[in-house]
Amino acid sequence: MKSWSASGRRATIVVGETVGGDDARGQAQGDLVAIRSSVAADPRTITLEIVNLARRKVHVQISGDSLSVHRGQPEVVTISCEDARGWYDLTVTCPDDPLFLRRLAGHIVNGAPSIPG
């Protein structure tokens, strides 16, 4: 499992810009990669499960951070949004699939007073 911070980035999942298929359940799929997303309120985190659909290793970038995903070995990435007061703005791309683009942006509500983005 990988962990990153959304600090300095705008850290309910909202899928924005999309090329390829997606649905309202926080799932998105291209030809080489599928992504499932979820959020947690305490601590405020967003978790991405990245699944390789190809027959070879694929590379994925999450807002500029790179990782390799092997077939049959999903990568789980948890991103803390605490430093960004629950806001997140993430871009997921796959250099091996130039049409794959997922944009996840929003705010994780946890019942505490919040500062608008």
Side-chain angles (χ1 to χ4, degrees):
M1 178 165 68
K2 310 266 190 247
S3 296
W4 290 315
S5 172
S7 176
R9 304 177 185 146
R10 293 197 144 195
T12 335
I13 292 291
V14 177
V15 177
E17 244 177 274
T18 303
V19 177
D22 71 330
D23 65 30
R25 292 182 304 252
Q27 299 181 27
Q29 182 172 322
D31 291 335
L32 301 179
V33 178
I35 296 178
R36 286 185 280 278
S37 56
S38 61
V39 296
D42 189 21
R44 290 183 286 196
T45 59
I46 182 169
T47 299
L48 305 176
E49 180 184 10
I50 304 163
V51 178
N52 178 349
L53 304 174
R55 294 184 178 173
R56 58 181 167 73
K57 174 176 66 175
V58 295
H59 302 88
V60 174
Q61 291 188 331
I62 303 171
S63 295
D65 293 317
S66 298
L67 66 136
S68 296
V69 183
H70 297 272
R71 181 157 181 85
Q73 299 174 4
E75 283 286 343
V76 176
V77 178
T78 300
I79 301 165
S80 172
C81 302
E82 288 295 326
D83 291 345
R85 297 186 183 104
W87 291 97
Y88 60 91
D89 185 353
L90 305 170
T91 301
V92 183
T93 59
C94 177
D96 301 314
D97 182 356
L99 296 178
F100 185 87
L101 169 66
R102 299 298 179 271
R103 187 84 193 267
L104 300 99
H107 183 251
I108 301 170
V109 178
N110 65 357
S114 182
I115 297 174

